[in-house]
Amino acid sequence: MTVAPSIDIDRAQAETPGCQAVLHLNNAGAALQPRPVIDAVLAHLHRETEIGGYEAADEALARREQVYHSIARLLNAHRDEIALVDNATRAYDMAFHALPLRDGDVVLTTRSEYPSNVIAMLRAQHDRRITIRYLPNEPTGELSLEALERELGDPRVKLVSVSHVPTQSGLLQPAAEVGRLTRARGDVWYLLDACQTAGQLPLDVQNLGCDALAATGRKFLRGPRATGFLYVRHERLRELDPIPVDLHAATWTGPESYELRDDARRFETWEQHIAGLLGLGAAAEYALGWGLDAIWERVQALAARLRALLADTPRVTLRDPGVRRCGIVTFTVEGLAAAEVKAALAARPRRINVTTSTVNSARLDFAERGLDTVVRSSVHYYLTEQDLEEFAAAVRSLT
Ligand SMILES: Cc1ncc(COP(=O)(O)O)c(C=O)c1O
């Protein structure tokens, strides 16, 4: 069987130095970086050592500006709607804490929301006395659109926050349908956490209908660690009052005054990891070069193949809910803790990388599904079918 042949796997592998040494199924943690990303980062670090940090930044000005274009292109947004930040959590928090939420306002979210997002909401519940409502799920695991529509009838609802794919499973939430429903209400904010979908599947903010979107560089986008970005829809930008702001996000205009920037860079800080951001831009261009449709097609096909192989493995139970599932494949092995599976796979002659998801990341979801910890494997387009067979054989050898 040839899985999604539109990607040139030989080239993808040749351009991924790490994939010889390791069998990397931790792309939902941090994917292996491709050569153009590594080159962009290293070249800038070299320039910093050769001519100085500020001077290298000046020299790279046009390339730095290009990063905004690249991320905007990835999302079908405008460059002024993009802020480059350290990670998805920072992106999410900058938008969330800037929202004009007040006593009595209601925030709707999913039962599989990323824990840091929930912690931000809990903080606002404490400080600003908002109410958090967790939407019920369909029996298949997605948030209930019917319940969302009903809840949106309540004028106190001010925000809908959705993790497109949660951290602990391959579930794909109906993000565009959520966008259509929230748009129909007009004034409600829709904040989409696309941390696990950026670089994995096509993201079009016009179609998704979100007002803000947070994502990270290091996961399926294959960028450097500690890079991320925030998109904020231009029409709504002025409704957001960021905390904190520095001299890059705002101008100190007088002893008693400052003026916020009127683009999304009001969410940035002056000091930035320039080498990392150039690497992020290279990662976006690299993904666009393959085409997000082609990447998504292959990721889905590889994930389906991996699920079929694992379904055939004794004592293994697949754990992903959802009608449509992504490249994250979670499972448990009877009689073995997830951490033991991870350690045993890492100890193989050709190291196999997976990670685990614990109940701390999935309080509601895991409680409802009777889970405590799962093994989280995650495929990407540069893996081969032989890689998946090697992986499944390694899991089988543990059982
Ligand atoms: C769904 C989701 N949202 C947000 C994050 C946080 O991303 P970051 O570590 O870049 O802040 C993660 C990280 O695993 C995630 O899985």
Side-chain angles (χ1 to χ4, degrees):
M1 183 184 70
T2 306
V3 168
S6 56
I7 296 237
D8 176 351
I9 305 309
D10 291 340
R11 176 161 87 80
Q13 292 231 322
E15 291 174 354
T16 306
C19 70
Q20 299 311 319
V22 295
L23 176 40
H24 193 67
L25 281 102
N26 192 13
N27 295 286
L32 294 179
Q33 293 172 34
R35 183 51 72 195
V37 171
I38 303 160
D39 289 347
V41 173
L42 292 181
H44 190 74
L45 291 179
H46 281 306
R47 283 310 276 164
E48 286 187 341
T49 55
E50 282 161 8
I51 64 167
Y54 283 28
E55 294 71 18
D58 286 347
E59 189 180 78
L61 186 60
R63 277 176 286 129
R64 282 160 55 202
E65 288 301 314
Q66 184 57 41
V67 181
Y68 295 89
H69 277 292
S70 303
I71 299 294
R73 207 148 71 81
L74 191 74
L75 303 178
N76 191 22
H78 188 274
R79 43 168 284 138
D80 289 347
E81 296 175 310
I82 306 299
L84 301 177
V85 295
D86 293 349
N87 51 59
T89 303
R90 186 46 48 95
Y92 183 95
D93 281 349
M94 286 307 287
F96 178 83
H97 291 295
L99 285 164
L101 294 175
R102 277 186 273 283
D103 196 346
D105 287 347
V106 174
V107 168
L108 302 178
T109 193
T110 70
R111 309 186 78 75
S112 302
E113 198 64 5
Y114 189 65
S116 301
N117 305 352
V118 176
I119 289 167
M121 292 175 222
L122 289 168
R123 178 72 199 261
Q125 186 172 52
H126 180 263
D127 293 352
R128 295 191 246 170
R129 290 191 289 168
I130 62 155
T131 301
I132 305 168
R133 285 189 202 148
Y134 297 97
L135 292 162
N137 287 338
E138 293 296 341
T140 43
E142 294 83 4
L143 67 94
S144 161
L145 293 167
E146 227 176 83
L148 172 62
E149 192 166 14
R150 213 172 29 249
E151 289 284 3
L152 285 169
D154 180 343
R156 288 171 301 179
V157 171
K158 294 288 157 43
L159 169 70
V160 178
S161 173
V162 173
S163 290
H164 200 177
V165 161
T167 195
Q168 74 279 3
S169 82
L171 172 77
L172 185 59
Q173 294 281 18
E177 287 81 351
V178 172
R180 275 188 272 289
L181 292 174
T182 49
R183 279 272 174 107
R185 245 289 299 268
D187 57 331
V188 177
W189 273 85
Y190 175 21
L191 177 43
L192 183 66
D193 175 344
C195 188
Q196 292 292 1
T197 43
Q200 181 177 185
L201 52 84
L203 291 174
D204 177 340
V205 289
Q206 314 309 332
N207 178 49
L208 289 164
C210 54
D211 299 299
L213 176 150
T216 210
R218 73 181 183 279
K219 295 180 185 287
F220 287 93
L221 197 51
R222 308 184 67 192
R225 294 203 64 170
T227 60
F229 54 89
L230 171 66
Y231 154 83
V232 178
R233 185 177 296 284
H234 179 72
E235 294 78 20
R236 304 208 70 174
L237 186 80
R238 284 170 184 275
E239 294 172 45
L240 294 185
D241 193 5
I243 333 168
V245 280
D246 74 356
L247 78 176
H248 168 81
T251 305
W252 188 21
T253 48
E256 305 284 337
S257 61
Y258 69 88
E259 222 169 84
L260 279 171
R261 288 184 67 117
D262 60 8
D263 61 15
R265 294 187 209 187
R266 63 171 57 184
F267 302 102
E268 293 183 348
T269 51
W270 186 87
E271 176 57 0
Q272 292 186 320
H273 177 36
I274 310 243
L277 295 181
L278 293 172
L280 175 69
E285 284 299 324
Y286 192 70
L288 289 162
W290 289 109
L292 272 302
D293 285 319
I295 290 173
W296 179 222
E297 186 198 3
R298 183 162 169 86
V299 165
Q300 287 178 98
L302 288 172
R305 177 86 186 112
L306 180 55
R307 288 197 175 93
L309 286 165
L310 290 175
D312 251 5
T313 308
R315 292 168 53 202
V316 168
T317 307
L318 288 162
R319 296 295 184 179
D320 298 311
V323 177
R324 295 180 67 213
R325 286 168 300 191
C326 71
I328 297 177
V329 178
T330 59
F331 59 94
T332 50
V333 182
E334 196 191 318
L336 278 178
E340 290 174 302
V341 175
K342 175 184 164 180
L345 293 172
R348 290 182 66 86
R350 183 187 182 210
R351 184 189 171 106
I352 299 179
N353 296 336
V354 294
T355 192
T356 59
S357 283
T358 74
V359 69
N360 291 349
S361 290
R363 282 273 151 222
L364 304 183
D365 180 37
F366 275 12
E368 282 156 7
R369 295 197 283 137
L371 294 170
D372 178 61
T373 312
V374 298
V375 181
R376 188 184 76 179
S377 61
S378 42
V379 300
H380 215 338
Y381 62 90
Y382 57 81
L383 294 173
T384 63
E385 291 130 83
Q386 290 85 330
D387 284 335
L388 301 186
E389 275 152 28
E390 182 182 332
F391 176 69
V395 173
R396 184 181 287 266
S397 74
L398 305 176
T399 65

